[in-house]
């Protein structure tokens, strides 16, 4: 597999032992947001498969083989996990956040879809804390009412589809969580997204940029759609854009007010 780095000598596999694939999410960063179920899966895996920074976040275990690969090879990774499982290995496929949100669980399902002979393998998907949940917790309760999540990456879909979904989300007055908002290869998409949303939503709409939530370099910016500078956004940022109902609760002495979306909606604003 291109870009793969393999380390470790490998745990001895008993003859005839049947393998397993454990699709796990490591959460947004800190160990305290890794579920006990996922920690246990990582401890019993013979092999780790995933994007380099996620594999690097897993505790190093003697004998466990680490198949760390470059980004953008999700399907190769899924096929590798299937091959290793067929050899009787217990493979943890690691993603950041939740494995089912813009991550490896769907790539694995795609590989199973394309390979009927692999469908009887023992596959378990384990949930994780997604970035939008971590960001929402820091801010208050912005996802308290209907919301949607959109990836701004146009690696796997055309930009016109992203634009159509942003428009529909604004017209439906959803709170919007934007994943993959910018990268070195696509620095301008976030500006295009903001231009579009500004044409459809009030300039007073609360906006949060939640960067590296739970990590030492965490940084949260609370602003409005009108005043926001999308230039501060990078690949480690989760962007939240409020609905017409999303509001602030001032907190004396705190760095910033709470941000929340009430549980009932009264407005039909679009
Ligand atoms: N499966 C992951 C998302 C993978 S897409 C999950 O459920 O969270 C990667 C994107 O997630 C990043 O570009 C960023 O938008 C967001 N993200 C991941 N970790 C984050 C963190 N600690 N703080 C803020 N955003 C994060």
């Amino acid at each position: 597999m291109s870009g793969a780095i393999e380390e470790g000598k490998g745990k001895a596999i008993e003859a005839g032992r049947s393998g397993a694939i454990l699709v796990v999410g490591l959460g947004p960063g800190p160990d305290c947001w890794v579920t006990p179920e996922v920690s246990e899966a990582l401890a019993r895996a013979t092999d780790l498969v995933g994007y380099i920074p996620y594999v690097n976040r897993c505790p190093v275990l003697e004998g466990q083989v680490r198949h760390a690969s470059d980004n953008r090879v999700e399907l190769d990774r899924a096929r590798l996990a299937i091959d290793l499982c067929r050899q009787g290995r217990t493979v943890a496929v690691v993603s950041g956040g939740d494995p089912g949100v813009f991550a490896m669980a769907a790539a694995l399902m795609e590989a199973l879809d394309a390979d009927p002979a692999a469908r009887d393998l023992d596959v378990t998907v384990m949930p994780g804390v997604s970035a939008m949940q971590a960001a929402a917790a820091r801010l208050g309760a912005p996802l308290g009412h209907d919301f949607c999540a959109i990836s701004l990456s146009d690696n796997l879909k055309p930009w016109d589809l992203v634009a159509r979904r942003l428009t529909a989300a604004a017209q439906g007055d959803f709170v919007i969580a934007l994943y993959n908002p910018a990268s070195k290869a696509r620095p301008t998409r976030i500006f295009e997204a903001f231009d579009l949303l500004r044409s459809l939503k009030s300039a007073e709409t609360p906006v949060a940029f939640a960067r590296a939530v739970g990590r030492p370099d965490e940084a949260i910016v609370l602003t409005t759609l009108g005043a926001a500078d999308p230039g501060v956004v990078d690949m480690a940022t989760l962007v939240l854009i409020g609905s017409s109902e999303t509001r602030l609760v001032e907190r004396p002495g705190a760095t910033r007010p709470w941000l929340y979306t009430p549980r009932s909606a009264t407005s039909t604003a679009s």
Side-chain angles (χ1 to χ4, degrees):
M1 193 170 95
S2 71
I5 303 161
E6 293 198 16
E7 295 162 22
K9 277 183 272 175
K11 290 181 179 173
I13 303 296
E14 298 154 32
R17 185 180 132 173
S18 61
I21 299 179
L22 311 167
V23 187
V24 305
L26 302 176
D31 290 347
C32 62
W33 288 345
V34 179
T35 69
E37 181 186 43
V38 167
S39 295
E40 187 274 334
L42 294 174
R44 92 181 129 97
T46 58
D47 295 74
L48 302 182
V49 169
Y51 179 37
I52 300 162
Y54 301 139
V55 169
N56 286 346
R57 274 175 50 192
C58 299
V60 175
L61 292 182
E62 174 139 17
Q64 194 175 55
V65 188
R66 298 160 85 89
H67 309 263
S69 55
D70 244 326
N71 213 351
R72 297 200 190 197
V73 289
E74 280 94 350
L75 260 182
D76 291 344
R77 265 185 233 137
R79 289 192 205 104
L80 173 65
I82 287 171
D83 288 346
L84 291 166
C85 179
R86 282 187 171 128
Q87 293 163 31
R89 312 207 44 111
T90 300
V91 191
V93 177
V94 299
S95 294
D98 179 272
V101 178
F102 308 122
M104 282 303 297
L108 187 76
M109 295 296 141
E110 225 175 289
L112 294 177
D113 205 1
D115 184 359
R119 292 185 205 163
D120 63 349
L121 295 177
D122 179 2
V123 175
T124 308
V125 183
M126 300 177 183
V129 176
S130 192
M132 66 183 167
Q133 296 168 285
R138 283 291 191 264
L139 290 157
L143 306 180
H145 197 70
D146 299 343
F147 65 90
C148 65
I150 299 177
S151 169
L152 273 202
S153 169
D154 54 357
N155 293 335
L156 299 170
K157 61 188 171 189
W159 178 256
D160 74 285
L161 182 59
V162 179
R164 204 142 51 82
R165 290 187 175 155
L166 288 170
T167 304
Q171 286 167 345
D173 199 23
F174 288 93
V175 173
I176 305 169
L178 295 179
Y179 284 77
N180 299 312
S183 74
K184 290 199 180 92
R186 317 173 274 104
T188 58
R189 290 308 195 188
I190 187 68
F191 289 92
E192 291 174 52
F194 268 68
D195 285 347
L196 180 61
L197 293 171
R198 282 173 177 146
S199 72
L200 297 165
K201 293 171 72 74
S202 158
E204 301 309 309
T205 306
V207 164
F209 298 134
R211 186 179 182 283
V213 180
R215 303 182 200 155
D217 50 340
E218 174 176 309
I220 312 252
V221 174
L222 190 52
T223 176
T224 62
L225 189 56
D229 172 13
V232 304
V233 165
D234 66 6
M235 212 46 192
T237 308
L238 190 283
V239 178
L240 280 173
I241 296 140
S243 72
S244 64
E245 309 272 347
T246 305
R247 65 196 69 187
L248 305 178
V249 182
E250 294 301 333
R251 280 194 286 174
T255 337
R256 57 175 184 271
W258 290 117
L259 177 71
Y260 86 108
T261 310
R263 298 192 58 226
S264 58
T266 52
S267 152
T268 54
S270 65

